[in-house]
Amino acid sequence: MFERFAHFGVRLAAVVALAAPLPLAAQSCPDCVFNQGFENEFFLPANDAEAARFLNQATFGATRADIGSVKNLGYESFLDVQMARAPTLERPQLEARAATVRLNNQTINQDDRVHLWFNNAVTAPDQVRQKVAYALSQIIVTSDQNDTLNGEPIQMAEWNDILVRNAFGNYRDLLREVTFSPMMGKYLTHLRNRKYEVTPRCRPNNNPTGNPTDCNSDSAAPFVITPDAANNYPGGYQVGNNGNEPDENYAREIMQLFSIGLVTRNQDFSVVDDPGNPGNPLPTYDQQMIRTLSRAFTGLAYDCSGNQTVQGVVIQQNCSGPGARNSAPPPTPGCSGSDCRYFNLSTLFFNDPPRARLPNDSGDSSLVHPDFYRPLVCYPRYNDLGRDRKRFQLPDQALTPPVNTTYDAGVAAPSGAQGAGKPLVLSGTTLQTLPEFRPGASKETVPDCELSGATALTGLTPSQRLECINYCEDNVRSVADLLFNHPNTAPMVARQLILHLVTSNPSPEYIERVANVFANNGAGVRGDLKAVTKAILLDPEARRPFTGQFGKPREPLMKLVAVWRNFNATSGDGRRWGPTNPQTAYLQRPHGAPSVFNFYEPDYQQPGAIATAGLYSPEFQIINENTIMLASNDLFTRICSGYGSNNCSGAFATTAPTDRAFFPPAQLDALPGMACATNINGCSGADDLALIEELNVRMMGGSMPGAVPNPTTGSGNTGMKGALHTLMRQGLIGNLGQSGATAAVDARRRKALYLIHLVAISPVYSHQR
Amino acid sequence: MNHPKNSRRAFIKGTAGLVAAGGVGSFVPKLNLIGEALAQSAVGGYKALVCIYLGGGSDSFNMLIPTGTTLGNEYDHTVYRTSRGLYYSTVNDPVTFKSPDGLGIPRATTANCLPQAIALTSGVAAGGNLGLNPFMPGIANLYNQGRVAFLANVGTLYEPLTRATYNNRRKPPQLYSHNDQTNLWQIGSSVSSTTQRGFGGMIAGITANPSPLGLSSAISVAGSNRFLIGRTLADQAVFPFQLSTSATTPATTLSNYNPNSSTAGEAARRSTLDALINETYPELFSKEHGDIFGRSLTLSTNINGTISDAVGNATLYVPNSNPNANIRGNAVGNNVNFPNTGLAQQLRQIARVIRVSRPGYTPTQAGLTPINANRQVFYATAGGWDTHSGQITSISAAQGQHLLLQQLSEAINWFYAELTAMGPATAGGIEAVDQVIGFTQSDFARTINGNDNGTDHSWGGVQLAFGGPAAITGGQVYGRYPSMKLDNRIGGTGAVVPDRGECFSRGQFIPTLAVDQMAASFARWMGVDNSNLPLIFPNIDNFATGPFANAGASPTFAYFNRVVPNLCTGIT
């Protein structure tokens, strides 16, 4: 696909900007001792704690098994193994669940999806992929809190899967796929977005931009149109569809949030000054650009692919004749394939695909036709071609002189030739999308993509019908490519991913190193998310020991997920994990942000010392006096979760809880410093220290401050480590009055749970270092 | 090239009006070094400001609607109707054959359309000029009684601007962008959307005395926001305390760590937690987490006790959580049904806090420290206003934007009635309604031209303020309501009505009243000295004495002043 980007009047072919990559080792890192590339010592963790610290960045939480893997393989090979793992997807699992409950005439809802999300986050073997997908879900946001998505768990599961599948693919493909995604189409409202409809008032072959009286000289009678003086439309045009213009929502946010951002940036994320307005950042686009771009995202609606079988259930869909999509096909089909987008336009464009009914026919089941989540397709009647509906260029298009364009190798433009394009011009920057049809064609010879119904099938040849569709869909892809190839996209995506995985305040050099990998993975490919992920996690800045203000505030909900994973929690019934409305306590919900701006914004600075120091602290936007307590209380309940009541306030359950996750006693018993509970002499200070150290490693990557110089006497204890040890030795009672053989074991387990919770709400743990 | 991530956004440089752009090295004098001249004496009594933020951008020209019959002026209903793509209707228009997805609201009973706009009887709105959305009868009543004021075509501005001067003068950064425009509205100035403070927090910082309890004078019942971040004149940071909307635990307490618990080990765990929280961490993320936790632990019990004891107390008239319990059936009670929406629950919590915060109120429970505030600033919010689609979906039921407007109207109507019922803190004192100003803000208004039953981002719009006679001079529309005549959309430069506000092609109106002026009016009412206004609003004199403030050319602005004259009672 071709794209061209001219910047400050200088043409920059995107591919040229990618050329001649610097070898990683030679990149500038002037104040950095690692400027000769990665030292050997950074390939392998020196100890368990370093491995765990890496895992707490790269996965949802360090486990003993993964710590061993990282120590054996080294960081990069561990990532290679992870990246080779097959993606764990939600939608097929959720469809299976929907099919199962359907047999009982029941439906599923978002609760089922949220359970499944937690299950995959804690237990999926492709951990790094899942973690990166979760990071992406906070950059490219849709949300089940939206009215049109709330009742659609299958759609939201497929949204998750788009991110999971593309997490180690290419950002270009991701940007394209989300653009065509029905879920995004609903969330940012470009589903069924329609063009601004304008019709020349005169006969088709008259130039409506000229004197309207030309109409009278036409050989046939002109249209009779009452002048619309109140609306001040030029005499030559009539406006249709109430004068509605394309929805600008997606055009704006794909630029602001998913790709280039608001202001022009260097590759290290620093802002480019506006030469025309010194002291101010140079904007990347303005309102006119958004308005122009919005015209590309028109004409998209659900596909109609006919009958499909999902989980053994046939979901019928009639695409070929007028009537409802889910009605029986008429005896004589009126169209087939994509031709139905012309012939059966009003039915297919404006209606949703069908759903499988419940067996007792009391309503729809949760099984939906795959067209519900497959990419949207173009209905040319409603797509803005950059010309009016009778083949004339719109005036603001006609004023722009044609621009010569070039193509990526191997990409065929519609009708295969170069020619005048459809420019998007703003702020002196010209973005060039695909050329008009068959450049050089006259207004009399281009196909009339406006046609619909039977007329379309007679008035357009089969190849013309495809040409109209291809033009539209290629144009959307082309716009996504333009943004993907914009220089800003590399530092924007690089910084955001660093923020979600490693640190809220990466150095400009760190951002630039990752952005350079985004721009070129070393093999000439831009947007390779595998390479980007590696660059982020293997960067010397991420791997060198914690210092200063490095790291990030831990996401409130990720405390719960990490603790579950750190200590091998499991779902009691193999399906449910408990929190179906985690946003109440944590202000976070998987694929459930309050708006497209996510739970918090990357540039949030907590007022006070953090803002004064010039630091960003995104997660603090949802951490306040109220939620900090709600989250702490919820964590306690879930860490202590047992059958019936909870293990921290009553006897330790021997049965798994049915509807939520818990720590199996065997997992707790396997922790260091636990076996002593069965000793006749009980547990020693060294046992307590062993348990604390294990929490230090798994939960905190070794970042727990303090020392326990003499575990036997407890004298000289300092810092957090010392405070916890003193508590264990002197004050922490785990026995709730139980007696008998299990009392000592239960008490020790309970102490472990108390300790895990105390660490989880501590100020140091709350800062992922 | 600058590196904003490393930059310090100092907010004032020297005297008023000059603001550091924030590049590396632009360290500037701290506020407390500016000099005694700007210091102001403490203010007494009690006053509160309540910001209701309408997240997403409200299509406010469908809230206050032109219903005039005089062709060609700014209240011309036919122009409005045409620009909005005709009325929203359940049937095709038989004359024009247009589809029924117009966005217009009729001024008179019209078959198959929405109910007509509610007539307003006061100020310029009277005489059929302007009507209110039919789903907002409560606000219409308050306006007609003089308790609500509208501000027309108010929005973010750096300095006065016209279409002709659009390319030559300074403009707010990142117009039409949700988060940036939200920030500018909450900052109260359009210098930079990354300024780390809001005018609510600044007003609190300048006017509030320290509470004996240590409770911040900036209180949010709706999470983090820029609005409530500020500084005192002594350069102390002001940041909001965040409350829930619960009656029993407005400040959430920590469970399972009771220091007085008889459960084995619980008190010991609490003392260890306290030690971890109270430790001084050089790592700021750890320190901040400990600070928030500590603040919550320290204050939550006292706040909960103070509020929950008062809730439902028959003589205190503090509303409890029963949706119907506020109907007290006596002359001093609030007889308006509690709407029980998210916004109403937030305003109810604010009412409770006001009730127990004013000087003279003593907690009923022994041992609690009174809040005893002289000034408080509150933040509430209602979301869902980003109506790109589904803006109107019914001609009778409150759906889409109409549901939001209905909820806004009902919540404010209830809140005002509650303040009325609350009365003075002590017998013979000042009525609560005269101590509180509430107002709305929103990212921006929305395009007059639609996009198939939705609208897109635009700029200037209509906001409202409410309060008692000693707070707001209501029953008035401040600023100029613009003509809804749009520029034509096909390459032309169609005529506009320049002295009534200009718009771009889809009806994005250039504001004729600045956010700064609206906010400065509230600041002055709260007690910020006129000389201190530029500390909060560095651009304020662009609208009062700057070169473009009174150019004598179109558009003429309604008010050339630092404030909106007379909007707040006694502030001219």
Side-chain angles (χ1 to χ4, degrees):
Chain A
M1 192 63 47
F2 161 72
E3 49 286 319
R4 173 171 168 270
F5 175 70
H7 196 50
F8 315 129
V10 180
R11 272 188 64 182
L12 279 181
V15 276
V16 174
L18 304 179
L22 290 170
L24 202 57
Q27 285 166 15
S28 104
C29 181
D31 58 351
C32 159
V33 295
F34 309 105
N35 59 354
Q36 295 308 307
F38 301 128
E39 302 291 336
N40 279 341
E41 60 191 284
F42 289 105
F43 282 112
L44 275 174
N47 50 41
D48 288 1
E50 282 194 3
R53 177 171 180 247
F54 168 82
L55 287 164
N56 285 332
Q57 295 168 343
T59 72
F60 281 104
T63 62
R64 259 294 146 200
D66 282 351
I67 290 171
S69 295
V70 172
K71 286 177 73 180
N72 280 338
L73 298 169
Y75 298 123
E76 183 161 17
S77 298
F78 175 83
L79 290 179
D80 286 334
V81 169
Q82 278 283 316
M83 288 173 174
R85 291 207 165 131
T88 305
L89 301 177
E90 271 184 15
R91 199 250 306 151
Q93 296 181 71
L94 204 59
E95 282 180 334
R97 170 95 191 137
T100 302
V101 305
R102 176 180 174 272
L103 297 176
N104 297 323
N105 293 302
Q106 290 170 349
T107 56
I108 62 167
N109 57 34
Q110 298 290 348
D111 289 2
D112 297 86
R113 179 188 66 78
V114 172
H115 284 306
L116 187 52
W117 188 90
F118 280 117
N119 194 62
N120 287 343
V122 179
T123 68
D126 53 331
Q127 271 292 304
V128 181
R129 178 188 289 276
Q130 297 287 333
K131 180 73 178 283
V132 172
Y134 175 64
L136 289 168
S137 81
Q138 298 191 57
I139 301 170
I140 304 177
V141 176
T142 71
S143 170
D144 73 354
Q145 300 302 289
N146 177 283
D147 287 346
T148 65
L149 292 167
N150 192 263
E152 305 287 357
I154 300 290
Q155 279 193 328
M156 290 311 297
E158 177 65 15
W159 175 257
N160 177 77
D161 293 352
I162 289 174
L163 304 179
V164 169
R165 280 197 310 268
N166 288 288
F168 293 144
N170 193 294
Y171 199 77
R172 178 198 196 195
D173 298 327
L174 177 61
L175 206 52
R176 286 176 165 200
E177 197 165 341
V178 301
T179 300
F180 278 100
S181 159
M183 291 69 83
M184 184 58 81
K186 280 181 168 184
Y187 193 58
L188 293 182
T189 59
H190 61 290
L191 171 67
R192 302 191 180 111
N193 196 8
R194 292 168 63 178
K195 69 174 176 179
Y196 176 51
E197 303 211 349
V198 56
T199 311
R201 291 182 164 170
C202 309
R203 286 186 51 77
N205 290 341
N206 267 347
N207 182 348
T209 60
N211 185 338
T213 59
D214 282 354
C215 296
N216 297 326
S217 64
D218 197 74
S219 55
F223 294 145
V224 178
I225 302 287
T226 307
D228 194 357
N231 240 349
N232 225 356
Y233 298 128
Y237 288 98
Q238 181 191 19
V239 171
N241 191 26
N242 279 24
N244 283 316
E245 298 212 13
D247 187 321
E248 297 167 1
N249 203 7
Y250 189 67
R252 178 184 311 280
E253 307 304 0
I254 190 179
M255 290 200 286
Q256 179 173 347
L257 298 175
F258 308 161
S259 58
I260 65 179
L262 290 164
V263 298
T264 310
R265 295 185 184 276
N266 299 303
Q267 293 302 289
D268 68 357
F269 200 69
S270 58
V271 172
V272 174
D273 204 55
D274 185 351
N277 188 10
N280 292 286
L282 180 65
T284 43
Y285 56 84
D286 67 13
Q287 178 59 22
Q288 186 57 38
M289 174 76 173
I290 287 169
R291 195 172 166 208
T292 309
L293 202 61
S294 72
R295 298 169 59 178
F297 302 119
T298 50
L300 298 176
Y302 289 113
D303 195 5
C304 190
S305 61
N307 298 350
Q308 297 278 353
T309 303
V310 181
Q311 296 286 327
V313 179
V314 177
I315 306 179
Q316 300 219 335
Q317 172 160 241
N318 166 28
C319 310
S320 60
R325 271 177 181 253
N326 55 3
S327 66
T332 313
C335 59
S336 67
S338 62
D339 281 351
C340 295
R341 295 186 218 162
Y342 296 92
F343 184 76
N344 204 7
L345 172 75
S346 60
T347 297
L348 299 190
F349 185 79
F350 290 103
N351 289 289
D352 288 354
R355 303 163 195 268
R357 298 285 292 174
L358 293 170
N360 66 4
D361 207 34
S362 64
D364 285 331
S365 78
S366 299
L367 277 185
V368 300
H369 193 286
D371 289 343
F372 257 111
Y373 50 76
R374 285 180 179 166
L376 300 173
V377 297
C378 184
Y379 292 77
R381 164 66 182 80
Y382 297 119
N383 175 243
D384 189 330
L385 302 170
R387 11 168 235 174
D388 68 37
R389 60 192 297 177
K390 294 301 175 192
R391 311 177 201 174
F392 293 101
Q393 290 273 308
L394 290 173
D396 59 338
Q397 296 293 310
L399 291 173
T400 306
V403 182
N404 288 330
T405 57
T406 56
Y407 297 87
D408 281 352
V411 171
S415 307
Q418 298 181 16
K422 180 180 176 186
L424 305 174
V425 184
L426 206 64
S427 305
T429 299
T430 302
L431 299 177
Q432 186 79 28
T433 69
L434 284 174
E436 267 287 8
F437 295 63
R438 283 183 283 160
S442 74
K443 63 194 180 198
E444 286 80 16
T445 58
V446 295
D448 185 357
C449 302
E450 284 276 345
L451 294 176
S452 63
T455 319
L457 303 194
T458 54
L460 294 171
T461 66
S463 70
Q464 282 180 322
R465 297 197 287 270
L466 282 177
E467 187 179 359
C468 291
I469 288 172
N470 287 340
Y471 173 80
C472 166
E473 294 179 359
D474 284 350
N475 209 24
V476 175
R477 281 187 278 268
S478 170
V479 166
D481 281 3
L482 284 167
L483 300 173
F484 166 74
N485 281 306
H486 191 293
N488 259 32
T489 303
M492 287 289 291
V493 175
R495 172 179 180 251
Q496 283 252 53
L497 284 173
I498 294 171
L499 258 53
H500 285 292
L501 298 175
V502 178
T503 178
S504 303
N505 295 283
S507 71
E509 296 79 13
Y510 185 8
I511 297 175
E512 184 163 15
R513 287 193 292 272
V514 177
N516 286 341
V517 171
F518 185 99
N520 185 340
N521 66 353
V525 176
R526 181 181 177 85
D528 176 358
L529 291 173
K530 257 185 202 173
V532 169
T533 303
K534 277 191 176 182
I536 290 169
L537 294 169
L538 301 178
D539 192 274
E541 192 163 320
R543 294 276 56 82
R544 66 185 164 209
F546 167 79
T547 178
Q549 309 296 343
F550 195 76
K552 63 198 287 282
R554 219 177 268 274
E555 294 177 39
L557 184 61
M558 290 307 104
K559 284 186 174 184
L560 174 63
V561 174
V563 165
W564 270 341
R565 187 167 165 78
N566 288 149
F567 302 105
N568 305 87
T570 182
S571 160
D573 67 356
R575 185 174 68 83
R576 285 173 290 185
W577 284 75
T580 51
N581 287 303
Q583 68 273 23
T584 319
Y586 302 94
L587 292 192
Q588 287 188 286
R589 173 184 177 88
H591 307 301
S595 85
V596 75
F597 291 92
N598 194 29
F599 314 108
Y600 36 74
E601 294 185 52
D603 293 337
Y604 178 75
Q605 297 179 284
Q606 178 78 349
I610 290 172
T612 304
L615 296 172
Y616 294 111
S617 55
E619 293 80 2
F620 268 117
Q621 202 170 351
I622 56 168
I623 298 171
N624 61 54
E625 294 88 353
N626 190 39
T627 59
I628 207 167
M629 294 306 179
L630 289 169
S632 296
N633 295 343
D634 193 79
L635 274 172
F636 192 91
T637 309
R638 301 202 183 280
I639 287 172
C640 292
S641 167
Y643 183 82
S645 70
N646 81 55
N647 289 329
C648 295
S649 58
F652 224 89
T654 52
T655 317
T658 53
D659 60 350
R660 51 207 147 94
F662 74 118
F663 293 116
Q667 294 293 341
L668 298 176
D669 296 344
L671 293 173
M674 294 296 285
C676 54
T678 56
N679 287 354
I680 190 80
N681 295 325
C683 295
S684 68
D687 291 323
D688 290 345
L689 181 59
L691 181 59
I692 292 166
E693 283 294 357
E694 186 68 6
L695 267 52
N696 178 27
V697 168
R698 288 201 206 178
M699 296 176 73
M700 301 176 67
S703 67
M704 190 186 291
V708 180
N710 188 335
T712 305
T713 64
S715 67
N717 283 358
T718 61
M720 179 172 174
K721 220 178 263 184
L724 294 180
H725 191 258
T726 303
L727 174 69
M728 288 288 278
R729 294 313 296 159
Q730 296 173 4
L732 187 60
I733 302 165
N735 191 321
L736 299 177
Q738 287 175 272
S739 59
T742 60
V745 173
D746 277 8
R748 189 70 183 170
R749 290 171 180 165
R750 206 170 280 120
K751 281 189 177 184
L753 295 177
Y754 286 147
L755 210 53
I756 289 169
H757 184 257
L758 195 46
V759 169
I761 64 173
S762 70
V764 180
Y765 177 77
S766 302
H767 170 189
Q768 179 185 301
R769 298 177 174 182
Chain B
M1 175 207 314
N2 57 25
H3 292 257
K5 68 173 287 298
N6 293 325
S7 76
R8 178 190 156 108
R9 294 278 175 188
F11 85 84
I12 187 106
K13 182 177 187 176
T15 53
L18 292 173
V19 165
V24 170
S26 65
F27 288 74
V28 296
K30 288 191 172 182
L31 198 53
N32 57 356
L33 301 179
I34 289 170
E36 292 302 311
L38 295 174
Q40 67 177 84
S41 52
V43 288
Y46 176 86
K47 283 184 178 177
L49 206 52
V50 178
C51 174
I52 301 173
Y53 197 84
L54 310 179
S58 164
D59 188 357
S60 48
F61 289 117
N62 256 13
M63 175 176 78
L64 190 63
I65 300 161
T67 50
T69 52
T70 305
L71 295 181
N73 77 1
E74 65 272 32
Y75 307 121
D76 183 347
H77 184 74
T78 60
V79 172
Y80 159 84
R81 178 176 178 271
T82 304
S83 297
R84 299 241 75 163
L86 305 184
Y87 294 148
Y88 181 81
S89 170
T90 53
V91 297
N92 286 340
D93 187 301
V95 177
T96 63
F97 300 102
K98 288 183 176 179
S99 57
D101 55 1
L103 295 164
I105 292 166
R107 68 176 170 207
T109 305
T110 308
N112 305 310
C113 289
L114 285 150
Q116 68 200 75
I118 305 170
L120 298 176
T121 57
S122 175
V124 298
N129 282 336
L130 291 167
L132 202 65
N133 186 285
F135 292 90
M136 303 184 80
I139 293 293
N141 284 337
L142 286 173
Y143 175 89
N144 290 338
Q145 293 163 18
R147 303 285 46 90
V148 160
F150 292 106
L151 293 95
N153 201 11
V154 56
T156 58
L157 282 175
Y158 197 105
E159 57 196 4
L161 201 62
T162 65
R163 261 192 1 183
T165 59
Y166 181 81
N167 290 324
N168 306 324
R169 290 189 192 165
R170 289 172 293 184
K171 294 179 286 291
Q174 306 303 349
L175 287 166
Y176 312 100
S177 155
H178 282 296
N179 52 347
D180 293 276
Q181 294 304 302
T182 296
N183 284 345
L184 295 183
W185 268 96
Q186 300 196 355
I187 292 164
S189 170
S190 295
V191 173
S192 163
S193 60
T194 59
T195 302
Q196 293 292 326
R197 62 186 171 84
F199 75 86
M202 289 300 293
I203 291 171
I206 291 174
T207 63
N209 300 326
S211 153
L213 177 59
L215 177 64
S216 173
S217 51
I219 295 173
S220 172
V221 291
S224 293
N225 59 81
R226 190 78 47 118
F227 174 70
L228 289 181
I229 299 167
R231 300 195 84 75
T232 68
L233 287 176
D235 204 27
Q236 299 297 306
V238 171
F239 33 81
F241 194 87
Q242 307 203 24
L243 293 175
S244 76
T245 57
S246 160
T248 50
T249 53
T252 307
T253 48
L254 183 66
S255 304
N256 305 298
Y257 283 87
N258 182 349
N260 305 313
S261 169
S262 58
T263 303
E266 184 166 345
R269 285 190 285 113
R270 171 58 180 267
S271 71
T272 303
L273 175 65
D274 286 341
L276 294 178
I277 286 170
N278 293 330
E279 181 151 347
T280 305
Y281 296 101
E283 299 88 358
L284 295 176
F285 293 166
S286 296
K287 176 182 183 301
E288 182 66 20
H289 201 273
D291 287 353
I292 297 172
F293 212 128
R295 210 158 50 230
S296 187
L297 281 174
T298 306
L299 290 174
S300 57
T301 305
N302 201 317
I303 291 170
N304 286 346
T306 305
I307 291 179
S308 63
D309 272 15
V311 165
N313 182 313
T315 58
L316 293 175
Y317 304 109
V318 176
N320 69 12
S321 285
N322 182 338
N324 299 314
N326 58 305
I327 309 168
R328 300 193 186 93
N330 62 47
V332 294
N334 180 355
N335 292 314
V336 175
N337 277 322
F338 182 67
N340 210 24
T341 56
L343 178 61
Q345 288 167 4
Q346 294 173 41
L347 294 181
R348 180 174 62 189
Q349 191 70 304
I350 291 170
R352 290 174 184 142
V353 176
I354 291 171
R355 183 68 187 87
V356 300
S357 293
R358 293 184 295 178
Y361 179 83
T362 308
T364 54
Q365 185 180 322
L368 296 181
T369 308
I371 295 172
N372 196 17
N374 68 323
R375 290 292 184 273
Q376 286 180 321
V377 183
F378 297 94
Y379 180 82
T381 187
W385 298 81
D386 193 20
T387 50
H388 284 282
S389 68
Q391 180 164 324
I392 309 178
T393 55
S394 168
I395 61 164
S396 53
Q399 295 174 357
Q401 189 206 8
H402 291 148
L403 179 61
L404 300 173
L405 289 171
Q406 183 182 67
Q407 292 177 345
L408 176 67
S409 176
E410 290 181 351
I412 290 176
N413 197 38
W414 178 88
F415 182 65
Y416 192 83
E418 185 65 30
L419 292 177
T420 305
M422 191 183 293
T426 52
I430 300 172
E431 294 286 328
V433 287
D434 285 329
Q435 296 177 313
V436 179
I437 285 180
F439 62 93
T440 61
Q441 293 194 330
S442 195
D443 317 13
F444 32 64
R446 308 191 71 83
T447 56
I448 303 303
N449 163 260
N451 67 18
D452 272 337
N453 200 13
T455 47
D456 296 305
H457 305 181
S458 73
W459 197 353
V462 181
Q463 303 298 336
L464 64 83
F466 60 91
I472 288 289
T473 306
Q476 301 290 329
V477 179
Y478 295 91
R480 294 202 177 209
Y481 195 94
S483 165
M484 290 292 113
K485 190 174 179 64
L486 304 190
D487 185 6
N488 79 69
R489 271 160 283 158
I490 309 173
T493 55
V496 292
V497 185
D499 67 340
R500 287 296 178 182
E502 297 176 296
C503 65
F504 292 104
S505 51
R506 296 187 61 197
Q508 301 101 323
F509 282 92
I510 299 174
T512 49
L513 200 58
V515 173
D516 315 42
Q517 293 170 269
M518 174 179 174
S521 308
F522 303 141
R524 294 277 294 117
W525 181 80
M526 285 287 281
V528 175
D529 287 350
N530 203 29
S531 61
N532 279 338
L533 279 187
L535 295 181
I536 312 178
F537 310 104
N539 281 348
I540 194 71
D541 286 326
N542 291 355
F543 308 99
T545 58
F548 310 120
N550 193 2
S554 60
T556 53
F557 285 79
Y559 302 98
F560 306 112
N561 207 320
R562 284 178 156 193
V563 299
V564 180
N566 304 315
L567 167 65
C568 299
T569 306
I571 307 298
T572 57

